[in-house]
Amino acid sequence: METLMHGPMRFYQLVYISVLSTACCCSLTERFLGEPPHDLQMKSCNFQHILSWQAKSDPTVPTYYRVLYTDRRNWKTAKQCSNITQLSCNLTDDFNDTSLDYSTLVQSFIGTEVFNSSVLHFTPFTDTYLGPPEVNISSCLNCINVTIKLPTSHFRENEKLLSLIDIYEELDYGITLKTLDGEHKRPRKKTTEEVFSTVIEELYPNRNYCVSVMLTASLNQRSIPSAWKCITADSVAQQDYHAIAIVGAICVSLLLASALKCMHAGGYILQDKSLPHNLVFIRMLAYSPWTSESEDIASVEIIYKEVKKKANESSSGVSDEDDSDDSDSSAISNHYYTGRDIISRVPRSSDTPNVFVQCSTDSTCDNSGSQASENPDADPEDFEEHETDVEEDKDASSELLNPFSEVNCNYSSRRRNSACFTINLKSVLLGALEENVDGSAALLSSREDAIDWQCTRAFQSKLLGDAESVQKPRCHNSSHEWQNSSCSSDESDSSVSDTDQKTEYIRR
Amino acid sequence: MAAPATPQPCPRHGAPVLLLLLTALATATALACRHLRPRDATFPWDSLQLLRAMAPSPPQPCHYQQAPFFPDTLLHTNHPQQAADIALRILQHLFTTLSSPSTPHHWDAQARHRLLNNLQHYKHNLEQCVPANGMLFQGQGPRNLLLNISRYFRHIQDFLHTHNHSACAWDHVRLEAGACFQHLHNLTRTMSN
């Protein structure tokens, strides 16, 4: 009897267990495929709408999503959210009517299965968050000046971007003031402008205040407040300090400018003194590739005398003579002299400075040759002699490149027992003269190294009693032309009959 | 013996004076619409929040067949008095519809009660600005707009009846109530001009 009872019971148990196992297997199979999208959220800020959702699916099975929405008239597919794999969708361009209520859902496609999410209702006009605005603050006397700029809207109407004022026509802004005592919300005010300012008055001076601004509309109180910005309210003393600091800075600047100007006028700074042209060349010569020999220098006092007329007479006299003084004629053409004789020579002294004789550029120097040519009475032979001497002197002129070399004069002896010698200014020493020499010697100081010059004519210095003029020796170099003053000051001394008006003599 | 009563003059010249007085009174009341109470400024937003709190959206989408939608022609009015008249009519119809006993039982009763109170207060304040029958604006267009509003709310009643007051039908009506509050806000701004 008990065996008969156990049989059907076991059959029922087997059937029950099989049904349960089948149900479990089916549920397990569904879990593996996936679940409908859930937890739909619309993150909307200034009419930029981003829908996001959560979903669980088998990673081995590809899952695609599609977003659908309706304005309670027609169901549409989101433009950029069809057959997507990401869990978000930008619906900014799909919600083209701000006042409509949109219903949105997400479909998931897992294999051949389609799952629908729940519906999310969203009205852009009332559900988008406004802000945060751009806030700038500045301090004033017992007050704070707050400048507010509305955020940019993402809503487009007929391809035109509208602002929040265009959409809502009027916005409310509320300022929250925070101090150490706590927060204080000021009464809301209305605005219809994109950028506007307001002043928070009746504040305590030298106290720190923090400001935050939030934007709202009559039909949209959802807002994102701006970040806190803090500043200290100005006081009278603080404003005075600012003024004093500014005035002090201006005074110091003026004092510095005047001091610099005085120093510049006194020549202590920014000296703008350029060397004369002659000295610039001498400086250039100082850097020439040739080495110079250090020589003793001596101080020389030279007395110049303007003897231009005499030089003209003497030059004409020379031209009349057949056997004119070669040195004189050559000097006319090439400004060189041939020393007839060494009158005197003062021993060199190491202490003596270099002698530097300046010869300023003068038209007489340039016209020396022309004067000779213009002289109608000039003997052509004289010109030949001049040319000969010129050639000879030209050969010697090459040695002028070395300003410190002494060139021996190789001219033929003169008829008048003249001698050709080279005078180095550095070796010229002035002292007691052989002939009656009166006068004073002018000391010429050299700025740079002395320049050797070759004289092709003997010098006969003549110190004048008045010492008003100085006879400058005539020489020639690449860049300088000497101003000759006299050829011969002593007509009696025909040996030194340098008739060239440009010649200068150093009386020895 | 009683003195004979002075005969009263015929009130033929009193009608224009009365009309002028009524005009002045209407103008004064119209100006009063510009200065609504501060509480009324947040009335549209508060009403929208109460609508959402009262009736959560159904989880599944509803398919609306021939559903009524708020007429856009009511939005285009620049006359303050006309805007006030239209707003008043909308408030009256909303109160009648939402206070119907056939509203869904799953709606939040407390939120619904607060919404109906706000409607009543705002309507009362608005009635101070607008005459009862709007007789001052006869023939100037408001009557047509009032007829248009009445037709719209009649359509809503028909829609509910057609769909047997289903949850989806009431959800559509709830959303249309939200649209009405948005337009009330615009009409309020027109009244303030």
Side-chain angles (χ1 to χ4, degrees):
Chain A
M1 185 63 174
E2 293 178 355
T3 306
L4 292 174
M5 291 297 290
H6 286 299
M9 288 300 292
R10 287 184 181 179
F11 175 76
Y12 293 145
Q13 288 176 356
L14 286 174
V15 172
Y16 178 72
I17 291 171
S18 62
V19 170
L20 284 176
S21 60
T22 303
C24 290
C25 288
C26 291
S27 62
L28 287 174
T29 302
E30 289 181 359
R31 197 161 37 243
F32 285 116
L33 287 179
E35 295 178 351
H38 59 276
D39 195 15
L40 268 66
Q41 293 183 357
M42 184 71 76
K43 296 181 181 179
S44 178
C45 185
N46 300 319
F47 293 92
Q48 184 184 33
H49 321 300
I50 306 295
L51 177 69
S52 62
W53 58 90
Q54 301 294 328
K56 290 181 180 179
S57 62
D58 189 352
T60 61
V61 181
T63 304
Y64 298 96
Y65 302 97
R66 183 172 66 179
V67 177
L68 303 176
Y69 68 94
T70 178
D71 54 357
R72 292 188 287 143
R73 290 177 174 85
N74 300 311
W75 280 96
K76 299 176 184 178
T77 302
K79 296 175 185 177
Q80 301 176 359
C81 305
S82 179
N83 293 329
I84 61 175
T85 57
Q86 63 268 21
L87 301 180
S88 64
C89 173
N90 189 341
L91 295 170
T92 303
D93 296 333
D94 296 285
F95 296 167
N96 51 17
D97 192 331
T98 59
S99 61
L100 292 181
D101 180 79
Y102 291 93
S103 299
T104 308
L105 63 89
V106 181
Q107 289 182 325
S108 62
F109 300 88
I110 305 175
T112 58
E113 298 291 332
V114 181
F115 301 93
N116 291 332
S117 68
S118 58
V119 177
L120 175 69
H121 295 271
F122 179 78
T123 306
F125 195 84
T126 60
D127 295 339
T128 190
Y129 278 80
L130 304 178
E134 293 183 17
V135 177
N136 289 315
I137 57 175
S138 61
S139 179
C140 50
L141 184 60
N142 296 332
C143 60
I144 294 176
N145 188 12
V146 183
T147 302
I148 302 167
K149 181 182 178 183
L150 299 183
T152 305
S153 165
H154 294 82
F155 179 72
R156 290 182 182 272
E157 187 176 73
N158 299 328
E159 302 297 329
K160 181 184 176 183
L161 200 65
L162 299 184
S163 65
L164 293 180
I165 296 295
D166 296 333
I167 297 170
Y168 292 101
E169 296 182 4
E170 188 179 70
L171 289 176
D172 301 327
Y173 67 96
I175 298 176
T176 303
L177 203 60
K178 184 172 72 173
T179 63
L180 294 175
D181 301 332
E183 294 184 8
H184 170 66
K185 288 191 175 181
R186 296 174 59 81
R188 289 185 180 182
K189 295 183 180 180
K190 295 187 180 296
T191 180
T192 56
E193 299 177 358
E194 299 290 331
V195 182
F196 55 95
S197 298
T198 184
V199 179
I200 304 174
E201 297 178 344
E202 299 178 352
L203 300 178
Y204 290 103
N206 299 324
R207 182 174 290 188
N208 191 43
Y209 292 92
C210 296
V211 173
S212 177
V213 181
M214 57 187 303
L215 297 172
T216 57
S218 299
L219 284 177
N220 189 353
Q221 301 292 319
R222 303 179 194 274
S223 175
I224 301 175
S226 67
W228 290 102
K229 286 201 171 180
C230 303
I231 199 170
T232 302
D234 278 346
S235 62
V236 178
Q238 193 172 358
Q239 284 198 342
D240 289 342
Y241 291 155
H242 289 166
I244 292 172
I246 293 171
V247 172
I250 294 172
C251 291
V252 170
S253 302
L254 291 174
L255 286 174
L256 283 174
S258 60
L260 289 172
K261 182 64 178 177
C262 292
M263 292 176 67
H264 175 64
Y268 293 100
I269 59 173
L270 299 178
Q271 294 180 4
D272 187 14
K273 295 181 181 178
S274 59
L275 293 174
H277 179 68
N278 295 342
L279 295 179
V280 171
F281 176 73
I282 292 174
R283 174 177 285 183
M284 291 172 57
L285 291 179
Y287 295 97
S288 65
W290 299 275
T291 58
S292 61
E293 300 176 358
S294 58
E295 299 185 32
D296 296 334
I297 58 177
S299 300
V300 175
E301 183 176 350
I302 301 175
I303 300 174
Y304 294 92
K305 179 181 179 181
E306 295 291 335
V307 289
K308 291 184 181 179
K309 293 183 179 179
K310 292 182 180 179
N312 289 331
E313 296 174 359
S314 59
S315 63
S316 60
V318 170
S319 61
D320 292 337
E321 295 177 1
D322 294 336
D323 297 329
S324 58
D325 196 329
D326 295 337
S327 61
D328 294 339
S329 59
S330 62
I332 295 173
S333 60
N334 60 0
H335 308 215
Y336 286 99
Y337 296 86
T338 304
R340 294 183 175 273
D341 192 7
I342 300 176
I343 301 175
S344 66
R345 179 171 296 176
V346 177
R348 296 180 183 177
S349 170
S350 61
D351 296 332
T352 57
N354 289 328
V355 174
F356 180 77
V357 180
Q358 270 189 323
C359 177
S360 62
T361 306
D362 195 355
S363 59
T364 56
C365 296
D366 295 330
N367 295 330
S368 60
S370 62
Q371 288 179 355
S373 61
E374 290 176 356
N375 191 351
D377 297 333
D379 197 329
E381 296 180 359
D382 296 333
F383 289 99
E384 293 179 359
E385 292 177 353
H386 297 167
E387 293 177 356
T388 304
D389 293 334
V390 169
E391 293 176 355
E392 293 176 350
D393 291 332
K394 282 184 177 178
D395 294 336
S397 65
S398 61
E399 297 184 0
L400 283 177
L401 296 175
N402 186 356
F404 298 97
S405 65
E406 295 186 10
V407 180
N408 294 322
C409 181
N410 298 321
Y411 298 94
S412 60
S413 59
R414 309 298 178 193
R415 293 185 181 179
R416 296 188 180 181
N417 195 20
S418 62
C420 180
F421 60 92
T422 301
I423 298 177
N424 188 352
L425 277 179
K426 293 182 179 179
S427 62
V428 173
L429 299 174
L430 296 180
L433 299 175
E434 293 179 357
E435 295 179 3
N436 294 327
V437 177
D438 294 328
S440 59
L443 177 64
L444 298 177
S445 62
S446 63
R447 178 179 291 186
E448 301 293 342
D449 296 333
I451 300 177
D452 285 338
W453 48 274
Q454 182 180 8
C455 299
T456 59
R457 191 180 290 271
F459 290 92
Q460 181 179 5
S461 64
K462 186 176 183 181
L463 300 176
L464 300 176
D466 53 0
E468 291 180 351
S469 62
V470 177
Q471 295 181 354
K472 297 181 180 180
R474 188 177 182 188
C475 63
H476 173 74
N477 53 41
S478 60
S479 63
H480 288 279
E481 293 183 0
W482 295 94
Q483 178 182 7
N484 57 29
S485 60
S486 174
C487 179
S488 172
S489 60
D490 189 3
E491 295 180 353
S492 60
D493 188 1
S494 59
S495 62
V496 196
S497 57
D498 187 357
T499 57
D500 196 333
Q501 62 180 358
K502 298 181 180 179
T503 59
E504 295 178 352
Y505 302 87
I506 299 177
R507 184 175 182 177
R508 295 191 175 214
Chain B
M1 180 179 180
T6 305
Q8 295 295 329
C10 179
R12 288 179 295 178
H13 301 285
V17 175
L18 181 61
L19 187 61
L20 288 173
L21 288 174
L22 288 175
T23 304
L25 180 63
T27 305
T29 53
L31 292 175
C33 290
R34 298 182 180 180
H35 305 283
L36 292 175
R37 300 173 183 176
R39 177 185 175 184
D40 296 331
T42 60
F43 165 75
W45 171 256
D46 295 337
S47 302
L48 288 173
Q49 300 306 309
L50 288 172
L51 277 176
R52 290 192 176 188
M54 178 183 72
S57 299
Q60 298 301 325
C62 296
H63 298 280
Y64 308 101
Q65 297 293 334
Q66 297 180 350
F69 293 97
F70 192 89
D72 296 335
T73 55
L74 292 175
L75 302 174
H76 303 287
T77 178
N78 296 324
H79 197 279
Q81 196 63 41
Q82 185 180 23
D85 194 15
I86 295 171
L88 186 60
R89 295 299 182 271
I90 292 173
L91 287 170
Q92 290 174 348
H93 286 286
L94 276 177
F95 184 83
T96 304
T97 303
L98 294 177
S99 61
S100 169
S102 61
T103 55
H105 299 286
H106 65 274
W107 279 13
D108 190 304
Q110 185 177 6
R112 176 168 166 261
H113 183 72
R114 288 176 56 187
L115 177 61
L116 293 174
N117 283 339
N118 286 350
L119 282 170
Q120 190 63 31
H121 283 293
Y122 193 80
K123 186 168 69 73
H124 176 73
N125 295 333
L126 201 58
E127 286 174 348
Q128 308 299 322
C129 311
V130 180
N133 53 2
M135 64 179 185
L136 293 175
F137 296 93
Q138 291 182 3
Q140 297 183 6
R143 280 194 178 274
N144 293 334
L145 291 177
L146 293 176
L147 187 62
N148 199 353
I149 292 170
S150 300
R151 185 183 301 149
Y152 165 68
F153 280 95
R154 193 181 314 114
H155 192 184
I156 286 179
Q157 296 294 333
D158 294 340
F159 174 75
L160 286 171
H161 181 76
T162 302
H163 291 83
N164 297 323
H165 300 275
S166 64
C168 281
W170 273 111
D171 187 65
H172 178 79
V173 173
R174 181 184 66 83
L175 295 175
E176 284 300 307
C180 289
F181 287 120
Q182 293 186 31
H183 298 309
L184 278 171
H185 169 260
N186 296 332
L187 293 170
T188 304
R189 294 193 62 189
T190 305
M191 288 187 294
S192 301
N193 294 335

